[in-house]
């Protein structure tokens, strides 16, 4: 018996949404340790994992590593570094919400670099299952912005 | 200044982070995807991935880097050397966005980046330049060439550091060389202008480190001899310049100060000279408007942290040192350890560094971003580390450096360590005071003494 990539991804999601920073699982010869990317070690911090700067050196301020070997899940990666916007302009409805049906070339977000707007397309047909970054936040190059469960 | 974004990679990124930490300044490192797991990325307080490995899509993207600095609430950008360090466009965008650019003003970068403009500034500052001329037409070029004489160099106005140069040995080859040089310069620098300079057959490369406050006050921190060059790439640098008379040194230092003062230069910079061994003269080559790779030899003999001074000047503290505060003591020699194969025409050798052991003897400083398990990506220069030896005199610094090189081990990629050993053990090097033809002569000597390989 072993863990599938989808199960690992699901575990990561559970840790992500829980108030725990670490999870250690041992079963049938498998040992799996998960820790939030920016969680200070052995703290019971309940806040969302915000990358911190300065002060005590955190091991890593990067977004958590993406684990999707699940062939049915498509990760929408940021094509460049910039500010992530969910809507075409302030006050306008967002391009997509969780649950939205998208086509391969549907625009799902904007990445702004020094006032220059770059559109981000879904890249797969399916349903948006997660939006991993808040409106107006800095998205790094390659950072996972959304997940889409593929259909058809 | 509370937070600095470092727009660079490799050893210089690690070097800048070290001083920022000492000054309690937070660091944000802008990295490409190839450098996300590098040692500097681990040392920085925060790392942001700005793009794919190719420099044109990451380290050379001005808008992206400024956006990253603003979004991470950084106060300043340190450009290091190479990449965007001498791009006036980055300095001016910082000026427009209210970010501190740790370096000279955009206008100063533009002034020294245009080699013709720099030449005329040098002449105006009463600093000798190599006999030469701007070129606008083929006829005019030929007239100028007759005065300059062969051999001569066709140089790109936008070039520098040995890039964009062609040697002309016969006047009848001039027209063809001009055409080729202009086409190449246009492609490489976006500026097809070229100029002519007399080729100095035997010259030493000696440069003067300066610091300026941006308001006309400048000081120098002595000179560096960088005559150990292969195809214009420096390999070994030292301070002071061996065998150069006190009067000659002083003349170089004063010329460098006149040039920097004329520009009201701000931050750390280097004025490069060619010291003509045959004519006992020296000429202005160019000014580098950035921190240089070889800055540690100056730090070793002066005790000044040049990055800290750059930061203080950028932060408005002005020039904290007077000329009378600068005392050079002893001798420092630096070697550049590169991932390249001397047995294979110094071809770059990227890859995984399985295991590395850097020296840690007394009087040795190592600036590096490479530890066991580090990767040398193929997209960037091949510098692995700088090993700097300090001693009370040249002989002791050299002895320390040779021991340090001998105790250095790098497994996984090919390095030039054996060649550095050959340089340091060479009698001409040990005597000091040679011209930039040294490496070519050394390679010839080695080829002559090596038995032809026997097969089978």
């Amino acid at each position: 018996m072993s863990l599938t990539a989808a199960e690992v991804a699901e575990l990561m999601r559970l840790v992500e949404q829980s108030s725990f920073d670490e999870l250690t699982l041992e079963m049938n010869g498998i040992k799996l340790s998960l820790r939030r990317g920016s969680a200070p070690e052995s703290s019971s911090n309940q806040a969302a994992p915000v990358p911190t700067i300065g002060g005590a050196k955190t091991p890593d301020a990067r977004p958590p590593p993406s684990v999707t070997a699940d062939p049915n899940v498509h990760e929408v990666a940021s094509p460049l570094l910039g500010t992530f916007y969910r809507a075409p302009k302030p006050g306008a409805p967002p391009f997509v919400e969780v649950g939205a049906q998208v086509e391969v070339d549907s625009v799902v977000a904007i990445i702004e670099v020094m006032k220059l707007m770059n559109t981000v397309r879904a890249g797969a047909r399916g349903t948006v299952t997660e939006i991993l970054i808040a409106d107006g936040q800095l998205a790094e190059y390659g950072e996972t912005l959304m997940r889409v469960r593929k259909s058809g | 200044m509370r937070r600095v974004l470092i727009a660079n990679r490799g050893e210089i990124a690690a070097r800048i982070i070290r001083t920022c930490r000492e000054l309690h300044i937070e660091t944000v490192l802008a990295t490409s995807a190839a450098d996300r797991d590098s040692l500097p990325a681990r040392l920085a307080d925060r790392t942001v991935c700005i793009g794919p490995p190719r420099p044109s899509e990451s380290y050379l993207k001005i808008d992206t880097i400024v956006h990253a600095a603003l979004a991470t609430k950084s106060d300043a950008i340190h450009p290091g050397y190479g990449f965007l360090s001498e791009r006036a466009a980055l300095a001016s965008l910082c000026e427009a966005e209210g970010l501190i650019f740790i370096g000279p003003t955009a206008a100063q970068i533009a002034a020294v980046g245009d080699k013709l403009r720099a030449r005329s500034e040098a002449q105006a500052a009463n600093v000798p330049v190599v006999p030469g001329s701007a070129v606008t037409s083929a006829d005019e070029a030929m007239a100028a060439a007759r005065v300059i004489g062969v051999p001569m160099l066709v140089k790109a106005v936008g070039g520098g550091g040995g890039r964009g140069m062609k040697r002309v040995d016969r006047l009848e080859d001039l027209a063809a060389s001009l055409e080729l040089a202009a086409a190449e310069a246009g492609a490489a620098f976006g500026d097809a202008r070229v100029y002519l300079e007399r080729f100095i057959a035997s010259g030493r490369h000696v440069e003067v480190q300066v610091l300026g406050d941006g308001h006309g006050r400048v000081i120098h921190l002595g000179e560096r001899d960088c005559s150990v060059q292969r195809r214009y790439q420096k390999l070994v640098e030292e301070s002071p310049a061996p065998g150069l008379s006190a009067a000659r040194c002083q003349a170089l230092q004063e010329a460098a100060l006149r040039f920097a003062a004329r520009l009201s230069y701000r931050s750390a910079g280097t004025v490069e000279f060619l010291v003509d061994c045959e004519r006992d003269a020296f000429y202005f080559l160019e000014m580098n408007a950035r921190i240089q790779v070889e800055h540690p030899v100056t730090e070793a003999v002066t005790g000044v942290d040049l990055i800290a001074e750059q930061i203080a000047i950028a932060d408005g503290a002005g020039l904290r040192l007077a000329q009378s505060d600068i005392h050079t003591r002893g001798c420092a020699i630096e070697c550049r350890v590169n991932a390249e194969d001397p047995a294979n025409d110094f071809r770059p050798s990227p890859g995984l560094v399985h295991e590395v052991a850097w020296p840690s003897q007394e009087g040795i400083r190592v600036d590096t971003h490479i530890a066991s398990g580090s990767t040398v990506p193929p997209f960037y220069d091949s510098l692995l580390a700088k090993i700097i030896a300090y001693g009370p005199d040249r002989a002791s610094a050299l002895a320390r450096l040779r021991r340090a090189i001998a105790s250095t081990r790098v497994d996984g990629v090919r390095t030039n360590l054996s060649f550095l050993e050959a340089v340091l053990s060479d009698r001409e090097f040990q005597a000091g005071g040679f011209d930039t033809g040294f490496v070519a002569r050394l390679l010839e000597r080695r080829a002559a003494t090596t038995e032809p390989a026997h097969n089978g």
Side-chain angles (χ1 to χ4, degrees):
Chain A
M1 158 159 198
S2 66
L3 281 170
T4 65
E7 287 168 329
V8 174
E10 176 68 6
L11 284 169
M12 287 185 72
R13 200 178 58 76
L14 289 172
V15 173
E16 200 61 47
Q17 291 170 354
S18 75
S19 58
F20 299 103
D21 288 322
E22 287 186 54
L23 169 86
T24 306
L25 177 71
E26 274 191 87
M27 50 183 272
N28 303 332
I30 295 171
K31 184 172 177 183
L32 177 74
S33 296
L34 297 174
R35 193 164 84 225
R36 287 177 192 259
S38 57
E41 285 178 51
S42 50
S43 88
S44 56
N45 181 3
Q46 299 239 344
V50 177
T52 53
I53 292 184
K57 178 82 178 95
T58 54
D60 209 331
R62 280 185 279 153
S66 52
V67 180
T68 49
D70 185 344
N72 296 318
V73 174
H74 169 74
E75 295 199 331
V76 183
S78 183
L80 68 177
L81 175 141
T83 303
F84 171 82
Y85 288 113
R86 290 188 52 194
K89 56 184 174 222
F95 292 109
V96 289
E97 298 279 8
V98 169
Q101 300 295 311
V102 290
E103 298 296 324
V104 174
D105 58 358
S106 297
V107 174
V108 294
I110 280 174
I111 300 287
E112 178 251 334
V113 185
M114 298 303 286
K115 312 286 187 291
L116 199 73
M117 304 299 169
N118 304 272
T119 52
V120 181
R121 293 179 194 277
R125 181 163 188 261
T127 310
V128 175
T129 55
E130 277 177 279
I131 299 174
L132 297 135
I133 172 168
D135 193 57
Q137 292 297 299
L138 179 68
E140 297 183 32
Y141 166 74
E143 185 171 349
T144 304
L145 305 171
M146 301 181 187
R147 293 204 174 99
V148 174
R149 179 157 290 278
K150 292 192 234 174
S151 62
Chain B
M1 203 183 292
R2 277 181 39 249
R3 189 176 296 159
V4 171
L5 180 128
I6 298 163
N8 215 301
R9 62 176 305 280
E11 66 86 20
I12 194 64
R15 162 75 189 88
I16 296 163
I17 291 168
R18 174 167 71 75
T19 287
C20 286
R21 276 190 172 182
E22 284 167 14
L23 299 173
H24 303 290
I25 295 172
E26 295 166 5
T27 51
V28 178
L29 185 67
T31 72
S32 77
D35 287 327
R36 293 187 68 148
D37 298 317
S38 65
L39 183 63
R42 293 207 294 275
L43 295 173
D45 292 305
R46 183 179 176 185
T47 297
V48 288
C49 187
I50 54 170
R54 230 173 267 287
S56 59
E57 297 176 62
S58 49
Y59 295 111
L60 292 173
K61 291 197 85 164
I62 294 175
D63 281 358
T64 297
I65 282 164
V66 170
H67 191 99
L70 293 169
T72 56
K73 299 190 165 52
S74 300
D75 309 302
I77 293 181
H78 198 305
Y81 54 68
F83 294 127
L84 296 174
S85 60
E86 290 177 282
R87 293 273 282 271
L90 174 61
S92 58
L93 188 57
C94 284
E95 286 164 20
E97 295 292 332
L99 286 167
I100 298 168
F101 179 76
I102 303 176
T105 65
Q108 289 161 354
I109 293 172
V112 301
D114 180 319
K115 301 303 160 195
L116 268 181
R117 167 95 191 274
R119 263 177 74 93
S120 61
E121 295 288 354
Q123 286 171 306
N126 195 25
V127 173
V129 298
V130 180
S133 167
V135 169
T136 47
S137 72
D139 289 349
E140 192 195 42
M142 188 53 88
R146 287 206 178 85
V147 177
I148 295 164
V150 287
M152 74 182 75
L153 294 171
V154 181
K155 288 185 161 187
V157 172
R163 298 179 316 140
M165 298 200 324
K166 292 224 171 303
R167 182 175 159 168
V168 178
D169 290 308
R170 305 181 311 168
L171 281 177
E172 52 266 43
D173 297 337
L174 180 65
S177 292
L178 277 175
E179 208 167 301
L180 191 59
E184 285 182 8
F189 313 113
D191 181 352
R193 289 178 301 150
V194 294
Y195 64 104
L196 300 177
E197 247 183 33
R198 177 184 292 165
F199 177 72
I200 309 292
S202 176
R204 296 173 64 177
H205 178 115
V206 182
E207 59 189 31
V208 177
Q209 177 70 54
V210 298
L211 281 172
D213 67 356
H215 302 287
R217 206 159 77 79
V218 289
I219 61 169
H220 75 81
L221 292 94
E223 78 284 354
R224 296 183 288 256
D225 188 322
C226 314
S227 299
V228 181
Q229 299 183 3
R230 189 185 152 271
R231 296 187 184 162
Y232 301 103
Q233 295 302 306
K234 297 166 185 170
L235 274 173
V236 179
E237 303 98 344
E238 60 185 298
S239 184
L244 209 59
S245 73
R248 170 54 30 92
C249 281
Q250 198 186 339
L252 286 171
Q253 291 157 0
E254 285 171 357
L257 289 180
R258 284 199 302 277
F259 184 82
R262 182 177 162 78
L263 297 177
S264 288
Y265 190 78
R266 183 183 77 188
S267 193
T270 299
V271 186
E272 295 189 340
F273 296 100
L274 189 62
V275 176
D276 189 334
C277 300
E278 286 162 359
R279 292 182 183 80
D280 191 37
F282 70 85
Y283 309 104
F284 169 85
L285 277 180
E286 63 186 39
M287 180 169 195
N288 297 318
R290 58 165 193 271
I291 192 73
Q292 278 189 281
V293 177
E294 60 270 27
H295 75 276
V297 298
T298 298
E299 296 186 324
V301 296
T302 60
V304 174
D305 180 334
L306 287 167
I307 302 285
E309 292 313 309
Q310 277 192 309
I311 289 171
I313 293 164
D315 206 18
L319 203 45
R320 302 185 294 185
L321 299 159
Q323 191 64 63
S324 56
D325 295 327
I326 306 298
H327 306 283
T328 58
R329 278 179 44 206
C331 172
I333 312 175
E334 172 184 283
C335 273
R336 300 191 190 188
V337 182
N338 296 329
E340 57 187 25
D341 184 3
N344 222 327
D345 198 29
F346 295 86
R347 187 184 300 166
S349 173
L352 177 69
V353 178
H354 299 297
E355 208 158 307
V356 66
W358 298 119
S360 60
Q361 293 98 325
E362 194 194 343
I364 296 295
R365 162 178 168 183
V366 180
D367 280 17
T368 187
H369 60 295
I370 298 293
S372 297
S374 290
T375 301
V376 182
F379 312 99
Y380 317 110
D381 70 36
S382 59
L383 184 63
L384 295 174
K386 305 182 305 203
I387 301 178
I388 305 103
Y390 175 81
D393 52 44
R394 190 170 188 264
S396 54
L398 182 54
R400 280 175 171 172
L401 187 53
R402 290 182 68 182
R403 277 199 302 277
I405 294 287
S407 71
T408 300
R409 241 189 57 233
V410 180
D411 292 339
V413 296
R414 298 201 181 269
T415 73
N416 64 342
L417 279 165
S418 63
F419 186 71
L420 292 172
E421 244 166 31
V423 168
L424 301 182
S425 58
D426 184 78
R427 288 169 81 171
E428 190 181 359
F429 180 84
Q430 292 179 353
F434 44 81
D435 68 5
T436 53
F438 166 75
V439 168
R441 289 192 295 276
L442 176 64
L443 287 170
E444 271 173 34
R445 282 198 287 275
R446 274 161 66 86
T449 54
T450 306
E451 289 290 310
H454 294 284
N455 292 322

